[in-house]
Amino acid sequence: MTLYMNLAELLGARIEQGLYRPGERLPSVRSLSLEHGVSLSTVQQAYRQLEDNGLVAPRPKSGYFVTENRSLPALPAISRPAQRPVDISQWEQVLELVRASPHPDVIQLGRGMPDIESPTLKPLLRSLAQLSRRLDMPGLYYDNIHGNEALREQIARLTLDSGCNLGPGDLVVTTGCHEALSTSIRAVCEPGDIVAVDSPSFHGAMQTLKGLGMKALEIPTDPTTGISLEALELALEQWPIKLIQITPSCNNPLGYIMPEARKKALLTLAQRYDVAILEDDVYGDLAYTYPRPRTIKSFDEDGRVLLCSSFSKTLAPGLRVGWVAPGRYLERVLHMKYISTGSTACQPQLAIADFIAEGHYQPHLRRVRAQYQRARDQMSDWVTRYFPPGTRASRPQGGFMLWVELPESFDTLRLNRALLEQGVQIAVGSIFSASGKYRHCLRMNFATRATPEIEAAVRKVGETAYRLLAQDSDAG
Amino acid sequence: MTLYMNLAELLGARIEQGLYRPGERLPSVRSLSLEHGVSLSTVQQAYRQLEDNGLVAPRPKSGYFVTENRSLPALPAISRPAQRPVDISQWEQVLELVRASPHPDVIQLGRGMPDIESPTLKPLLRSLAQLSRRLDMPGLYYDNIHGNEALREQIARLTLDSGCNLGPGDLVVTTGCHEALSTSIRAVCEPGDIVAVDSPSFHGAMQTLKGLGMKALEIPTDPTTGISLEALELALEQWPIKLIQITPSCNNPLGYIMPEARKKALLTLAQRYDVAILEDDVYGDLAYTYPRPRTIKSFDEDGRVLLCSSFSKTLAPGLRVGWVAPGRYLERVLHMKYISTGSTACQPQLAIADFIAEGHYQPHLRRVRAQYQRARDQMSDWVTRYFPPGTRASRPQGGFMLWVELPESFDTLRLNRALLEQGVQIAVGSIFSASGKYRHCLRMNFATRATPEIEAAVRKVGETAYRLLAQDSDAG
Ligand SMILES: Cc1ncc(COP(=O)(O)O)c(C=O)c1O
Ligand SMILES: Cc1ncc(COP(=O)(O)O)c(C=O)c1O
């Protein structure tokens, strides 16, 4: 990462966090140059980058100011899910979403697809092609059950950035993060066990609990700081919880990053009540701030955290390469991995190992992170412009998803049906709850570059919501 | 398939089945030409092929005779497993086997690897390379949860050969047959349920039952006709069995093909007691006879058969592409597939779809089938030559595995340890039993071409067995 990008990210993060408020004057070029020990032109480049991102604006003769004219949608309130363990429903809605094949006539705002057209992915495709030409055909063998060793070495190196200290032997490669999640849950829990989850929460993880016969206890969650520790502690006192399952860094669907102090406090709670933590970090490397946030796993001393991730969001989901660092549950996870898929496809593993080893991963991340951050601002602006008044929206600190809350009585299932006729699909809110809450919410993807077609699609979502709301109030 | 190959396979099958006995004279060239409506030279070519395979020998002026000089090891007796449902053990031994990475200094006779060096696989690698160069990057997207449609169309077409009549919508693509098995078992059974299995039986399927908390009831199995229907019926009367799990065509580890009449009778039993059948057909396309055997699924009228397979044994296991035709359990299997891996890696699916669509699959099968049949004869000869007297061995009718039975008191775990020091590994018999039976048995792979190195390795196995037996009788 170049110096100016570093500085731009730092300043951007401070603005995001509200340290500099809209309309406030930012430090002068000279003072920043002194403070950070960089040249004046580096600071100027950083400011130009922030200007491109729409975060700051220059005023002649007075320097740079935080832009004022972005009126963001209000944040959703802290969630209020059911306060008891429930059986998970909503499979039909999830199936509808995952059954859809990419279709040229449908703009798919609903799925968790990253931008796979970034030129920084080219070396990965090159490496896949080269592997197919190698005479020793390394992609055709049964892999060892732990996964390819070269890949595990690279993953271990990457996790240093989130404060971990793992070796290849601590890792098991999986077929996507899905398999990391299901093997982990099965390694810790028995059917009937209670699992505490953040709420709203990734539908895949919730359906996994359903499929394995566990109950979910949804914990109130704040849209900027994550799972409520107070509510979690009450739940731990009241119920025999076996596992806490959360996505604390660049949460799906809310996009928050749980502050480090709260991550530590959560771990302390887990130790006190002797429960395991499943930490889903699949979006962690896509935090807009640099360095990326630490994982809970990085503070874990007794192996109770199972850290799950994949390259589906950072590189491409079709590769189906994920991994888990299961701590003290390693042997159990290996057994579950063996029965779930035997081993993971070889060629994608080898290609990713090459891609990282040759130094392509970090430049790729830098590029898409900046792109996603700009796209988030763009998407937030469109929501302000096109959605009914009173609409609330998350303020993601990483990743590429926006969570949108419409008035309480609204039904996004109905919205989605009306949208499908217009060639647009969203993810309905109810799939993010074990018990079908969040019917008035939806999630939109902003990974693809902001083309006029995407704007038109988002506009259709907003205008169709308007129309349905008007019908309701006419009817009522 | 050319006419002469067809005829050679037909005659070969009759010899295998004992319709022509060792030393017996075969029909004359002329009479076969009339009977099958082919030219004299076609019949001559067919006989030359059978001569190459070592099945027939010409005698001057008298025609062709079934070769006599092959003295085969005796067949194992019908198995006698425990007659009650048991919890599955043996995970440690399985782990030892699947933990091993390919190692240049170890000749691996233990794993289920096909020959991946066949030149008929070249188009598959070419197709993988081409996919990586395509600008629309079809390999990078999330696949639809059913799996790639083009691939499912090709699979549906292939299953016509086993008598099935399936459409793409009846199929779910999985990450290897492993995932087909585990999603199927989970779709039918709950923890604690009893599953009847053939015995000996594939360790992966057995460990799946273990991991999912089911009990296995091992049914006596004949080394040439498969699971004993009489014993199975008794078991069905006595226990609340939920599922019958078998590999009836080219069984692993025994290599038998269950006769068609017995397949039908098994289905009738399953209907009578209203249980589901999990039919593992992963080696079915590798039957030495042509046409390949029918599946039980092909007789199934009420959707109670879940047919599981993969391209791991016919093409290459590193691709991790399998499939299941779950009959009436389709919806449940889809849910289990979703939570197990979300979807299957795309690029290998697309490459296999191309490979089949372009007509490369059948020629490849023909080549490896003939190769495996020759290798089986070679391996059986080596066992006769190098193993202690009294050794019994299976007589596989397809696939590439030989099951070898040593004297009852023998311990193949000890043998395997002694062999590892000499750079050879076998699969120990105990992993093929839920309860650790078959300690005196082992399984060897004969997929790779019969090089002097392979012969030396098999010889080491035999001679080490001799040595250990001698030590035992000295000690005793
Ligand atoms: C939070 C979270 N975890 C896991 C996954 C699944 O990732 P993968 O595609 O690697 O299985 C997703 C994808 O949507 C996700 O959002
Ligand atoms: C009978 C049987 N079923 C299933 C499998 C697993 O196949 P896959 O590698 O496609 O998961 C094997 C592989 O050893 C097998 O022998």
Side-chain angles (χ1 to χ4, degrees), chain A residues 111-113 175-181 201-205 247 250-253 280-283 308-313 317 320-322 401 443, chain B residues 142 338 341-343:
Chain A
R111 293 205 70 176
M113 272 295 293
T175 305
C177 191
H178 265 273
E179 196 185 27
L181 297 175
S201 190
F202 169 51
H203 48 83
T247 307
C250 314
N251 175 268
N252 173 12
D280 184 342
D281 192 51
V282 79
Y283 295 94
C308 295
S309 190
S310 82
F311 294 99
S312 297
K313 309 303 176 179
R320 304 313 295 136
V321 176
M401 314 276 210
R443 191 192 69 182
Chain B
Y142 268 118
Y338 179 60
T341 58
S343 58

Side-chain angles (χ1 to χ4, degrees), chain A residues 142, chain B residues 176-178 181 202 247 252 280 282-283 310 312-313 320:
Chain A
Y142 267 118
Chain B
C177 190
H178 265 273
L181 296 175
F202 169 52
T247 308
N252 174 12
D280 184 342
V282 80
Y283 296 95
S310 81
S312 298
K313 310 301 177 180
R320 307 310 298 133

Side-chain angles (χ1 to χ4, degrees), chain A residues 89-97 207 210 431, chain B residues 331:
Chain A
S89 54
Q90 311 306 313
W91 167 236
E92 294 69 28
Q93 275 80 48
V94 174
L95 186 57
E96 201 172 305
L97 184 63
Q207 292 301 322
K210 173 182 171 70
I431 62 177
Chain B
E331 286 290 317

Side-chain angles (χ1 to χ4, degrees), chain A residues 91 98-99 101 133 140-142 144 146 178-179 186 203 207 313 318 320 335 338 340-341 343 345-346, chain B residues 91 99 101 133 140-142 144 146 178-179 186 203 207 313 318 320 335 338 340-341 343 345-346:
Chain A
W91 167 236
V98 297
R99 214 166 218 175
S101 294
R133 282 195 299 270
L140 299 188
Y141 288 87
Y142 267 118
N144 140 355
H146 289 263
H178 265 273
E179 196 185 27
R186 283 232 300 265
H203 48 83
Q207 292 301 322
K313 309 303 176 179
R320 304 313 295 136
H335 193 261
Y338 179 61
S340 144
T341 58
S343 58
C346 290
Chain B
W91 167 237
R99 213 168 219 173
S101 294
R133 281 195 299 269
L140 299 187
Y141 289 87
Y142 268 118
N144 143 351
H146 289 265
H178 265 273
E179 195 184 29
R186 283 231 302 265
H203 47 84
Q207 292 302 319
K313 310 301 177 180
R320 307 310 298 133
H335 192 260
Y338 179 60
S340 146
T341 58
S343 58
C346 291

